[in-house]
Amino acid sequence: MQTYDLAPGHRISRVIKGGWQLAGGHGEINRETVIEDMIAFADAGITTFDCADIYTGVEALIGAFRTEYGRVRGAEALNRIKVHTKFVPDLGKLATLSKADVAAAIETSLSRLGMEQLNLVQFHWWDYEIDRQVEVATWLADLRREGKIANIGGTNFDTVQMNRILDAGVPLVSMQVQYSLIDDRPSRSMVEAAMAAGISLLCYGSVGGGLFSERSLGAPEPQAPFENRSLVKYKLIVDEFGGWALFQDLLEVLADIAARHDSDIASIASRAVLERPGVAAVIVGARNRAHLERNLAIPDIALSEQDFAGINAVLARANQVPGDVYSLERDRNGKHGAVMKYNLNKEGH
C-alpha cells in the first residue's frame, strides 16, 4: 500500500478505511467481526481509519480494535495505525460553545479511542452565520499545544473559511472534502489554496455512496425511498452532474477501463480521484473485508492517457456541480442540506 506523509510523524495509507457505515442506520454491527475486519485491513496495509465523534459507537469500536491490535501485533505495529476523528459540534450548540466544551469533547474522543493524544482532529462547522469557527479552531490549536492533539484538519470548509482559519495561525494539515469524477468542486479554488498552504486533501465520496458500481451499470434510475441518506445525497450529485443517462455513459467508460486493468468501476473511480493534484488519500466506506483486495489495489492501478481521454470525453458533456466545497449542503432549506442531520452529538453518541 502506498503511503503519504500528512505531517511529520504522521504517515497514512493512501486508501483510508471510512467509519461512517459502522454508525447507526447502516444495518446490524457485530462488534467482534468489525474488530477482526479492522485487523485484516491494518495487516494488509490500510493503516489509517476515519471516524467522528458523531458516528455513533465508531470511536469506541476503533478503540477496541486498537487495544486488540496492540495486544496481538505489538507496540510497533500499533504505532503505524493512524486514527482520523472529527470534532463536530451540534448546530444547536454553536452560539454557546465554550472552550471548556471543546476540551471536554476532545477528552471524550481520547477516552473512547483509548489514546493519550489524538492523531488528527478534523473540525467541522455547520453555520458560517454563527461566525465563531475561527475562534473555536484556535481553541483546538491550544489543545494541540497542550499535547491532546497531534494534528488539526478541517472537514467541509470552503476555501475562504479555510484561509481565515490559516490566517488565525491554526496549523491545518488536511481538509476532508467530497471529491469525485462527478463532483469537482474542490478543483475550483480549494486545491490551489490548500497546496500553497501545505494542506493535503482527504477525499470522500469517490464511489458516490456505491453508485459507482457494476450494480448501477444499466440499472434503472434509483427512486425514493432510498436505502440510506448516503444514497439520497449522492443521487442528488448525479442529478447536478447531468442526470442518470449521462452517469450511465460514465459508468460504461469506467467499466471498459476496469476490464483493461482487471479491476472494477469503484476502484477506477477512486484511482482517478487519487491522481488529482493535492489529493493525499481517498476514504473508502468498507463495511467489511469483502472488497479488501480491490481496495488495496487502488493506488497501484496505472491509468493511461487513453483511460483519461475516455473519462474526460464524458466529463466534457457534464454540468459543474455549483459552488465551492460543501456550499450546496450548507443551505439547510435546500434539497442537499435537507439530507443532513445537524445535532447528532448528543449524550450517548
Side-chain angles (χ1 to χ4, degrees):
M1 170 57 59
Q2 290 180 16
T3 58
Y4 185 96
D5 288 338
L6 202 63
H10 189 98
R11 179 166 291 177
I12 64 171
S13 49
R14 294 202 74 199
V15 174
I16 296 173
K17 187 182 186 303
W20 64 267
Q21 74 292 337
L22 299 175
H26 296 96
E28 288 296 312
I29 297 296
N30 181 303
R31 188 172 181 273
E32 193 175 311
T33 303
V34 166
I35 292 169
E36 289 172 0
D37 286 341
M38 289 184 191
I39 290 172
F41 272 79
D43 284 349
I46 296 178
T47 53
T48 312
F49 295 79
D50 184 78
C51 60
D53 53 1
I54 58 169
Y55 298 172
T56 308
V58 178
E59 283 183 325
L61 277 172
I62 293 177
F65 150 70
R66 288 185 74 260
T67 298
E68 181 66 8
Y69 200 66
R71 186 184 70 80
V72 299
R73 299 290 186 263
E76 189 179 331
L78 181 59
N79 285 337
R80 286 196 292 272
I81 303 300
K82 294 293 179 277
V83 180
H84 297 177
T85 194
K86 300 183 192 74
F87 170 55
V88 187
D90 286 350
L91 175 63
K93 297 281 179 65
L94 299 186
T96 59
L97 197 68
S98 70
K99 191 170 185 178
D101 293 332
V102 177
I106 296 305
E107 287 295 341
T108 298
S109 289
L110 285 166
S111 174
R112 289 171 177 162
L113 288 163
M115 303 176 82
E116 293 180 4
Q117 182 185 63
L118 297 175
N119 301 140
L120 177 71
V121 173
Q122 301 166 107
F123 175 40
H124 178 80
W125 192 260
W126 289 115
D127 190 349
Y128 295 153
E129 296 297 310
I130 305 171
D131 189 13
R132 304 184 64 216
Q133 57 273 27
V134 175
E135 177 187 25
V136 174
T138 65
W139 296 343
L140 290 171
D142 289 341
L143 289 165
R144 179 179 173 273
R145 280 188 286 273
E146 290 170 24
K148 299 289 185 181
I149 299 169
N151 295 292
I152 301 170
T155 180
N156 293 328
F157 282 101
D158 63 23
T159 310
V160 168
Q161 298 299 329
M162 179 184 76
N163 284 332
R164 287 184 66 204
I165 291 170
L166 286 170
D167 289 344
V170 179
L172 297 176
V173 302
S174 63
M175 187 62 66
Q176 188 174 137
V177 296
Q178 184 169 302
Y179 205 5
S180 71
L181 287 174
I182 59 172
D183 182 359
D184 69 343
R185 286 177 288 177
S187 70
R188 318 274 168 79
S189 60
M190 171 75 69
V191 168
E192 185 178 355
M195 290 178 73
I199 294 173
S200 303
L201 301 186
L202 306 174
C203 304
Y204 67 90
S206 63
V207 298
L211 290 175
F212 282 93
S213 65
E214 280 70 18
R215 192 175 64 240
S216 294
L217 180 60
E221 183 169 0
Q223 305 293 331
F226 292 90
E227 191 179 328
N228 55 53
R229 285 187 301 126
S230 179
L231 284 176
V232 181
K233 170 185 168 66
Y234 291 112
K235 175 56 170 58
L236 287 170
I237 296 296
V238 169
D239 296 343
E240 298 281 357
F241 169 77
W244 193 248
L246 185 61
F247 185 61
Q248 286 295 317
D249 291 348
L250 180 59
L251 291 181
E252 286 177 13
V253 168
L254 295 176
D256 288 344
I257 296 169
R260 288 199 288 275
H261 292 276
D262 189 25
S263 185
D264 61 286
I265 289 171
S267 295
I268 299 299
S270 291
R271 183 65 188 91
V273 172
L274 206 52
E275 188 90 3
R276 289 180 168 176
V279 173
V282 290
I283 302 163
V284 176
R287 267 181 74 83
N288 53 47
R289 277 171 278 185
H291 302 292
L292 176 55
E293 196 173 325
R294 293 292 195 193
N295 293 337
L296 285 170
I298 289 169
D300 296 321
I301 298 168
L303 295 176
S304 67
E305 286 186 19
Q306 177 193 357
D307 297 334
F308 279 111
I311 291 169
N312 291 335
V314 179
L315 299 187
R317 295 157 45 209
N319 302 321
Q320 282 196 325
V321 178
D324 201 333
V325 169
Y326 212 69
S327 58
L328 286 174
E329 293 82 355
R330 283 192 179 277
D331 177 6
R332 294 198 295 280
N333 298 313
K335 57 190 176 184
H336 294 269
V339 179
M340 307 298 158
K341 290 190 176 180
Y342 297 93
N343 293 287
L344 283 172
N345 219 331
K346 294 183 179 121
E347 202 65 41
H349 284 244

